[in-house]
């Protein structure tokens, strides 16, 4: 369907009316660059939860550090810098971490931030069912936290863990008020009564429409390296949930919102050509967006079929068509922005139709039905992907359709694409009723992601593939704090899962985009994650 300008305006009016309005958040924002004013920011993805310790959607990460702070932060060079912790010492055996904490921080509910609060947050992860994936991976080495004094906390690990500081700097390490941990109406969902110490206070959430934050006037503990200190410049910021790309861009160009994230490839040229707008983009860290093959059931229990699927896709052509030249092709499960990325995998597989068909012939899929699909023993060569709608971003639905068309035409594979609600998707995964699992993760240290995805029994090991040697490599890499050693070990892991066993089909490196009115300043990306920063440093000029 072709959308006219008048049609787009009507959609915009309907969408923005449905989102409601709040004083000072519509139209062009006024105010000096030195502070004050309000901002409306349209985002693609509504969070499943506002509890940072249960964070899972990379597209919703920009909201977390509005409301919550962590013990440590990542600096521009990727190193760890002080935040709520002023300093820390690590014992020679790397089993004891002693943190000296700030003594001038309060939670939004008035509770004092101290060592007991940090201990309560760490202990919360030990509560059965709270976040078992984090307890098993990021905190697998955590033993106990001891309050030495109100400003001193000693943490003891069971074994060395090179990922521990990364956890403490991540959204998962966001500090929640102990009062919230005990008495929040819905701790897992988060919201106005799950509070942190951050530069903004969440005071309104309308599901499906918007979330509103007001400035925390007491804030003066920004991390080392922040663009400024003291309270946020903005007095308030409203994030509106506009999942339709055309609606987001139209809202921006008409001045009804001042910032959007998630600029579709089809609209990038339009935004860049508008002198009243600015555009920024950054690749994400963590893992590439990939298709993981379920090796526990046909047809991908046969390595030849896994390899054939990858060869049947001319991925460069697909990405160029779907993303208009704006996507970065992936060759490894690890994103190329990671210091652990292995470039030796580039151009080693994919896009060879003859090879795809030869592999399928060798695997016994030699006949075709009336629709052109390969058949063996009376069954069609079928692969299903069941994606959860809240996690679908970057036109991944269109991407799947393009891949679907290619594998049918090139190799006779029936690739079935379903986008469903989260509960339905989870049931399909739990029941092992899928052949392809779609995923990307934005962990700042890719080791955390690999440990969630690859080992047997890991929280999101959807390949159901078990390779003891790979698991040994991951364990050694996780225990090490030596970057060179970790790079070598993770390189071996990448070659094992991509080249040796072909259990993953890396597709593209996720990226975030920000477009804004030219009057908005201070926008940018997390130096390690590559996701949009919070609104703390954002200001509005005239």
């Amino acid at each position: 369907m072709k959308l006219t300008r008048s049609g787009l305006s009507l959609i915009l009016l309907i969408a923005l009316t449905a989102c409601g309005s709040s004083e000072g958040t519509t139209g062009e924002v006024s105010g000096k660059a030195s502070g004050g004013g309000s901002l409306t920011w349209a985002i693609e993805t509504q969070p499943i939860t506002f509890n940072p310790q249960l964070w899972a959607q990379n597209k919703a990460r920009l909201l977390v550090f509005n409301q919550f702070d962590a013990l440590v932060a990542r600096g521009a060079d990727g190193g760890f810098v002080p935040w709520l912790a002023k300093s820390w010492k690590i014992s020679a055996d790397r089993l004891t971490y002693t943190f000296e904490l700030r003594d001038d921080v309060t939670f939004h509910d008035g509770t004092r931030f101290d060592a007991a609060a940090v201990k309560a947050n760490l202990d919360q992860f030990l509560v059965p069912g709270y976040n078992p994936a984090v307890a098993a991976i990021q905190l697998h080495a955590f033993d106990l936290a001891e309050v030495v004094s109100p400003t001193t906390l000693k943490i003891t690990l069971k074994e060395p863990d090179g990922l521990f500081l990364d956890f403490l700097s991540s959204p998962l390490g966001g500090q929640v008020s102990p009062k919230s941990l005990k008495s929040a109406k819905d701790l897992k969902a988060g919201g106005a009564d799950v509070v942190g110490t951050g530069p903004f206070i969440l005071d309104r959430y309308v599901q499906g429409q918007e979330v509103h934050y007001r400035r925390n006037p007491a804030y003066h503990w920004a991390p080392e390296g922040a663009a400024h200190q003291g309270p946020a410049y903005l007095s308030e910021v409203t994030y509106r949930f506009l999942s339709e790309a055309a609606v987001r861009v139209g809202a921006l160009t008409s001045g009804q919102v001042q910032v959007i994230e998630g600029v579709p490839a089809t609209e990038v040229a339009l935004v860049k050509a508008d002198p009243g707008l600015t555009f920024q983009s950054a690749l994400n860290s963590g893992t590439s967006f990939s298709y993981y093959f379920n090796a526990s059931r046909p047809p991908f229990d046969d390595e030849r079929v896994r390899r054939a699927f990858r060869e049947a896709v001319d991925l460069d052509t697909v990405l160029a068509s779907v993303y208009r030249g704006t996507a970065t092709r992936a060759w490894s499960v690890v994103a190329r922005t990671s210091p652990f990325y292995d470039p030796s995998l580039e151009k080693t597989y994919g896009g060879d139709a003859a090879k795809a068909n030869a592999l399928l012939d060798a695997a016994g899929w030699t006949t075709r039905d009336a629709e052109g699909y390969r058949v063996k023993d009376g069954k069609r060569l079928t692969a299903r992907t069941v994606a959860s709608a809240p996690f679908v971003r970057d036109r991944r639905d269109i991407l799947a359709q393009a891949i679907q068309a290619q594998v049918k035409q090139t190799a006779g594979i029936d690739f079935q694409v379903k986008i469903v609600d989260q509960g339905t998707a989870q049931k399909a995964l739990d029941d092992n009723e899928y052949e392809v699992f779609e995923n990307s993760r934005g962990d700042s240290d890719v080791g955390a992601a690999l440990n969630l995805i690859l080992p047997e029994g890991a929280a999101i090991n959807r390949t159901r593939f078990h390779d003891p040697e790979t698991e040994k490599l991951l364990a050694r890499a996780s225990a090490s704090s030596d970057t060179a050693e970790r790079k070598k070990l993770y390189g071996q892991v990448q070659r094992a899962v991509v080249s040796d066993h072909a259990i993953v089909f890396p597709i593209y490196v996720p990226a975030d985009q920000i477009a804004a009115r030219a009057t908005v300043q201070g926008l940018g990306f997390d130096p390690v994650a590559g996701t949009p920063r919070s609104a703390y440093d954002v200001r509005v000029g005239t």
Side-chain angles (χ1 to χ4, degrees):
M1 180 181 69
K2 184 176 181 180
L3 190 63
T4 64
R5 184 172 297 275
S6 61
L8 176 59
S9 299
L10 178 60
I11 292 174
L12 262 175
L13 179 62
I14 294 171
L16 291 172
T17 300
C19 285
S21 63
S22 60
E23 184 179 355
T25 59
T26 58
E28 279 296 335
V29 176
S30 62
K32 302 294 183 182
S34 58
S38 59
L39 186 78
T40 306
W41 186 327
I43 61 176
E44 180 178 8
T45 303
Q46 179 176 212
I48 294 173
T49 174
F50 287 92
N51 181 333
Q53 297 170 355
L54 301 174
W55 164 80
Q57 297 158 286
N58 210 38
K59 289 290 270 184
R61 181 181 179 132
L62 78 164
L63 301 178
V64 173
F65 288 134
N66 279 334
Q67 190 180 3
F68 301 93
D69 300 323
L71 293 189
V72 297
R74 288 295 191 98
D77 64 354
F80 297 102
V81 299
W83 197 349
L84 296 182
K86 296 191 298 183
S87 63
W88 56 92
K89 294 180 180 178
I90 305 174
S91 63
D93 61 6
R94 298 175 47 237
L95 294 178
T96 303
Y97 290 66
T98 304
F99 290 89
E100 295 298 328
L101 309 176
R102 297 185 65 121
D103 62 1
D104 57 351
V105 177
T106 55
F107 290 95
H108 299 156
D109 59 11
T111 303
R112 182 183 179 86
F113 169 79
D114 56 15
V118 181
K119 173 177 167 57
N121 275 265
L122 287 168
D123 289 346
Q124 181 66 36
F125 284 99
L126 304 181
V127 175
Y130 182 64
N131 193 333
V134 169
I137 302 299
Q138 287 95 331
L139 287 178
H140 76 281
F142 174 64
D143 188 12
L144 75 158
E146 301 173 82
V147 175
V148 178
S149 76
T151 58
T152 306
L153 182 77
K154 184 170 77 171
I155 298 174
T156 303
L157 304 183
K158 302 171 188 174
E159 60 188 38
D161 184 3
L163 296 173
F164 187 61
L165 279 179
D166 178 72
F167 163 78
L168 293 178
S169 71
S170 75
L172 296 168
Q175 294 297 295
V176 176
S177 166
K179 185 183 294 185
S180 294
L181 295 176
K182 291 180 180 179
S183 60
K185 294 178 181 177
D186 190 340
L187 179 59
K188 287 200 169 185
D193 64 345
V194 178
V195 306
T197 63
F200 290 95
I201 298 168
L202 191 162
D203 62 4
R204 184 176 72 251
Y205 167 53
V206 182
Q207 186 173 8
Q209 298 182 20
E210 67 182 29
V211 60
H212 180 267
Y213 296 88
R214 57 183 170 84
R215 178 169 53 199
N216 176 6
Y219 195 78
H220 62 274
W221 45 83
E224 183 179 296
H228 81 285
Q229 293 293 319
Y233 293 119
L234 297 170
S235 60
E236 61 176 343
V237 57
T238 302
Y239 293 90
R240 285 185 171 158
F241 310 129
L242 300 180
S243 60
E244 292 295 327
V247 174
R248 285 196 307 280
V249 174
L252 176 67
T253 56
S254 66
Q256 297 178 75
V257 304
Q258 290 71 53
V259 184
I260 65 172
E261 63 81 28
V263 183
T266 53
E267 306 291 343
V268 169
L270 171 69
V271 171
K272 288 183 175 180
D274 190 329
L277 302 177
T278 62
F279 176 82
Q280 303 177 56
S281 181
L283 294 176
N284 294 170
S285 63
T287 58
S288 303
F289 175 68
S290 303
Y291 283 178
Y292 293 86
F293 299 124
N294 184 351
S296 73
R297 56 176 297 139
F300 294 134
D301 56 346
D302 189 328
E303 183 181 313
R304 294 169 296 186
V305 181
R306 302 197 294 267
R307 294 187 185 278
F309 191 100
R310 298 194 313 193
E311 296 297 339
V313 182
D314 180 353
L315 193 53
D316 288 329
T317 297
V318 167
L319 294 177
S321 172
V322 175
Y323 298 110
R324 308 288 180 88
T326 64
T328 298
R329 178 171 180 168
W331 291 98
S332 172
V333 62
V334 174
R336 65 173 61 213
T337 50
S338 170
F340 305 121
Y341 173 69
D342 182 3
S344 72
L345 292 168
E346 294 177 8
K347 303 186 186 302
T348 58
Y349 63 89
D352 187 333
K355 185 174 182 179
N357 284 287
L359 284 164
L360 293 176
D361 287 343
W365 296 93
T366 54
T367 61
R368 301 203 183 211
D369 62 19
E371 295 181 62
Y373 293 111
R374 287 180 179 260
V375 176
K376 182 171 70 170
D377 299 331
K379 294 183 179 179
R380 179 181 284 184
L381 178 51
T382 300
R384 300 164 296 171
T385 180
V386 183
S388 174
F391 291 90
V392 175
R393 53 173 281 195
D394 301 345
R395 292 167 58 87
R396 290 176 181 175
D397 51 342
I398 307 302
L399 172 66
Q401 292 170 18
I403 292 175
Q404 179 186 58
Q406 279 230 338
V407 296
K408 176 185 179 182
Q409 180 178 355
T410 302
I413 299 172
D414 181 16
F415 182 40
Q416 299 179 1
V417 179
K418 294 182 180 179
I419 298 176
V420 297
D421 62 88
Q422 188 182 8
T424 301
Q426 188 61 51
K427 186 176 188 304
L429 295 172
D430 292 343
D431 293 346
N432 200 25
E433 289 295 333
Y434 66 98
E435 286 73 43
V436 171
F437 172 63
E438 305 177 21
N439 185 260
S440 65
R441 286 193 58 87
D443 305 83
S444 52
D445 190 312
V446 75
L450 296 178
N451 277 288
L452 281 165
I453 296 169
L454 299 179
E456 184 180 30
I460 54 174
N461 180 342
R462 305 304 187 189
T463 67
R464 299 177 182 249
F465 184 81
H466 174 48
D467 179 29
E469 184 57 34
T470 297
E471 293 178 22
K472 290 177 184 176
L473 293 170
L474 285 171
R476 287 171 56 194
S478 296
S480 175
S481 59
D482 183 294
T483 300
E485 180 184 17
R486 294 182 72 204
K487 182 176 179 64
K488 178 182 177 181
L489 292 168
Y490 286 138
Q492 292 176 264
V493 169
Q494 292 167 74
R495 291 189 290 275
V497 300
V498 177
S499 293
D500 298 346
H501 301 296
I503 63 168
V504 60
F505 181 16
I507 296 177
Y508 73 93
V509 182
D512 273 295
Q513 311 84 26
I514 303 173
R517 308 298 294 179
T519 52
V520 181
Q521 304 164 43
L523 295 163
F525 299 91
D526 182 282
V528 177
T531 52
R533 293 195 304 256
S534 75
Y536 173 64
D537 286 323
V538 177
R539 55 196 187 278
V540 181
T542 53

